[in-house]
Amino acid sequence: MDRLEITGGVPLEGEILISGAKNAALPILAATLLSESPVLLENVPSLNDVMTTIKLLRSMGAEITLHDGWKLEIDPRTTTEYVAPYELVKTMRASVLVLGPLLGRYGRADVSLPGGCAIGARPVNLHVAGLKSLGAEISIEGGYIHARAEQLRGTRLTLDSVTVTGTENLMMAAVLAKGETVIENAALEPEVLDLATFLVQMGAKIEGAGTGTIHIQGVDNLQGTPYTILPDRIEAGTHLLAGAITGGHVRVKQVRPSNLDAVLRKLEQAGARIECGSNWVDLDMAGERPRAVNLSTAPYPGFPTDLQAQFCALNSIASGTGKIVETVFESRFQHTLELQRMGANIGIRGNTAVSKGVDRLKGAPVMATDLRASASLVLAGLAAAGTTVIERIYHIDRGYECIEEKLAQLGARIRRLPI
Ligand code: EPU
């Protein structure tokens, strides 16, 4: 298993291009199953989770061609299997996103239950309940969700709590259902809107995506389209934080600044000077120590849980004391234990992490426990004195394209140690 070695203390400077969003690419790849003709996707990020999804679609019979620059041509017409096996779902829970499209298009799906993960229980009860309301018969046996439906029927769904992939799964199931579906308390994340935009381009009738109420009028079929995936706001945020934690000056390009509002406000509170253009964000922290910030994670447009761990790293070397409350997932603080091994002073009580900033972290061998936890350890390593070696970085390869190359472009002393 590869490791990352980082020698910290270099203020990062320069500009980098941000890749397509993982959490938009995954549902959009799943949605290609709905199409009756080939789809061409651009700005697909080169990530392990995308590779897993390609493997999953191929295992169902879809033909996928990878062109230069990670353009993907997907022909779903050869799909003959409607199964997401445990072997793939266990490595990537987002595989559950094929449930809605398979059921809507082919009337059947057998999808392994994802089970718990490093950041919490993460049940899929709301996905299942919504599909049942749309008329599916669902049984759970042998660790699999078995779903069947001759024809889904539009209905009014009110989600008990906000769920991103739940909203996406139900939207994908509803686009070919008979009649109108209304999803209330829908997730507002930009990735949900990106999926809806893609579906509309394929011929779906969807209104209100990106708001709490989505109206979907079922259509008879969807056709392939070229589509460019939205930029990754979490990757952008992580690299801006790399600039902030090292007292550097970083510009991220090919982004949508408006999707980063809550994050940019917190970076400004931390003392960064932020400037935005139509598709770039510039962060200048040159030579300054960040100030600790208080924040509470929340569904979009609130502060994203996927940048919580990275702000924990920032608070650990900031001046003052910062309080971070995690409200989306129940156990997303594993990174704090590793940060403590680097000298951070963080106390956890329930869903709250209180960090009293230390002058300097010290490099140490640490272990990545999940994707965003890994990113926080990379940031800590960039700021720390000495050398940090991060193990189990397969987590980071799931969601960050060429992280060591992009950071090296900003001047970081970072290298991958293959084993
Ligand atoms: N929940 C339920 N029942 C459900 C669905 C969700 O109780 O049926 C709960 C979850 O346990 C959690 C909360 O609702 O406490 C929110 O979970 P959500 O369903 O919104 O999360 P998700 O759809 O599984 C997506 C992203 C995550 C991101 C969350 C929150 C994808 C593929 N994943 O997960 O991304 O953290 O939304 O924004 O879109 C990551 O990229 O590192 C990552 C974990």
Side-chain angles (χ1 to χ4, degrees):
M1 267 183 278
D2 291 359
R3 293 171 297 158
L4 276 182
E5 182 193 80
I6 302 170
T7 303
V10 182
L12 299 193
E13 282 200 25
E15 14 181 270
I16 49 163
L17 293 181
I18 295 304
S19 303
K22 167 178 85 75
N23 289 347
L26 302 182
I28 286 174
L29 281 163
T32 63
L33 288 167
L34 291 161
S35 175
E36 292 191 4
S37 49
V39 174
L40 184 69
L41 297 179
E42 294 197 37
N43 204 29
V44 180
S46 155
L47 301 171
N48 283 356
D49 273 8
V50 168
M51 286 314 298
T52 304
T53 309
I54 291 175
K55 221 187 217 175
L56 178 61
L57 297 179
R58 280 187 174 146
S59 77
M60 294 177 186
E63 279 181 16
I64 302 181
T65 318
L66 194 57
H67 296 289
D68 277 355
W70 272 73
K71 272 187 208 161
L72 281 187
E73 193 177 333
I74 299 150
D75 187 346
R77 289 174 298 188
T78 41
T79 305
T80 48
E81 301 284 331
Y82 314 108
V83 181
Y86 176 64
E87 291 65 43
L88 291 178
V89 180
K90 77 176 181 202
T91 63
M92 190 193 69
R93 37 178 315 115
S95 310
V96 79
L97 282 164
V98 297
L99 185 55
L102 283 179
L103 197 55
R105 170 89 167 87
Y106 298 102
R108 57 181 300 162
D110 297 300
V111 175
S112 172
L113 270 173
C117 81
I119 61 177
R122 304 184 74 184
V124 288
N125 57 309
L126 300 173
H127 305 225
V128 169
L131 292 172
K132 278 186 178 166
S133 301
L134 284 163
E137 280 181 21
I138 300 190
S139 63
I140 295 182
E141 265 172 57
Y144 275 74
I145 304 167
H146 301 283
R148 300 288 181 273
E150 291 262 299
Q151 168 73 68
L152 295 174
R153 295 195 175 273
T155 186
R156 178 170 286 267
L157 303 166
T158 303
L159 301 177
D160 288 345
S161 60
V162 176
T163 160
V164 176
T165 51
T167 303
E168 292 165 346
N169 238 336
L170 296 172
M171 194 160 68
M172 290 188 281
V175 285
L176 293 177
K178 265 228 144 10
E180 190 189 42
T181 301
V182 180
I183 307 177
E184 305 221 58
N185 199 25
L188 274 52
E189 268 66 5
E191 293 76 17
V192 175
L193 177 57
D194 206 43
L195 169 65
T197 309
F198 171 65
L199 291 168
V200 167
Q201 227 167 280
M202 287 207 297
K205 292 198 173 143
I206 303 174
E207 281 178 10
T211 76
T213 306
I214 304 178
H215 290 259
I216 303 153
Q217 198 66 48
V219 295
D220 290 339
N221 59 66
L222 297 177
Q223 298 298 332
T225 177
Y227 193 75
T228 302
I229 309 276
L230 164 92
D232 197 315
R233 64 195 164 102
I234 306 300
E235 190 203 11
T238 302
H239 283 97
L240 289 172
L241 271 141
I245 203 169
T246 58
H249 187 170
V250 165
R251 180 173 289 205
V252 290
K253 300 205 304 195
Q254 262 177 40
V255 297
R256 289 200 194 155
S258 59
N259 290 345
L260 281 156
D261 270 356
V263 178
L264 299 181
R265 275 202 301 275
K266 286 296 160 194
L267 285 167
E268 278 173 342
Q269 281 174 25
R273 288 172 295 281
I274 301 284
E275 217 187 304
C276 297
S278 61
N279 66 350
W280 54 265
V281 178
D282 191 90
L283 172 139
D284 186 2
M285 192 73 152
E288 283 169 43
R289 182 180 182 190
R291 293 191 292 270
V293 292
N294 297 330
L295 63 87
S296 183
T297 64
Y300 191 84
F303 185 89
T305 172
D306 291 343
L307 283 168
Q308 177 262 104
Q310 298 86 321
F311 264 83
C312 271
L314 186 80
N315 272 355
S316 64
I317 54 105
S319 61
T321 299
K323 188 165 100 174
I324 292 187
V325 184
E326 171 58 56
T327 72
V328 178
F329 291 112
E330 64 265 37
S331 56
R332 204 174 200 182
F333 277 137
Q334 294 209 27
H335 46 279
T336 60
L337 302 172
E338 297 298 296
L339 291 172
Q340 281 166 1
R341 298 188 56 254
M342 298 174 71
N345 180 350
I346 309 177
I348 303 290
R349 202 172 235 200
N351 68 348
T352 304
V354 177
S355 314
K356 195 169 175 325
V358 296
D359 287 340
R360 206 76 207 260
L361 294 173
K362 295 220 170 67
V366 287
M367 194 144 73
T369 48
D370 71 75
L371 171 56
R372 309 303 172 186
S374 326
S376 82
L377 298 177
V378 169
L379 296 182
L382 292 170
T387 299
T388 297
V389 176
I390 307 175
E391 292 195 29
R392 299 202 180 165
I393 57 153
Y394 54 84
H395 288 293
I396 217 162
D397 294 332
R398 291 185 47 201
Y400 288 91
E401 185 172 74
C402 311
I403 192 162
E404 72 272 24
E405 285 170 32
K406 290 191 185 183
L407 289 170
Q409 223 174 300
L410 298 172
R413 285 175 292 183
I414 180 167
R415 60 183 181 138
R416 186 176 285 257
L417 305 175
I419 292 207

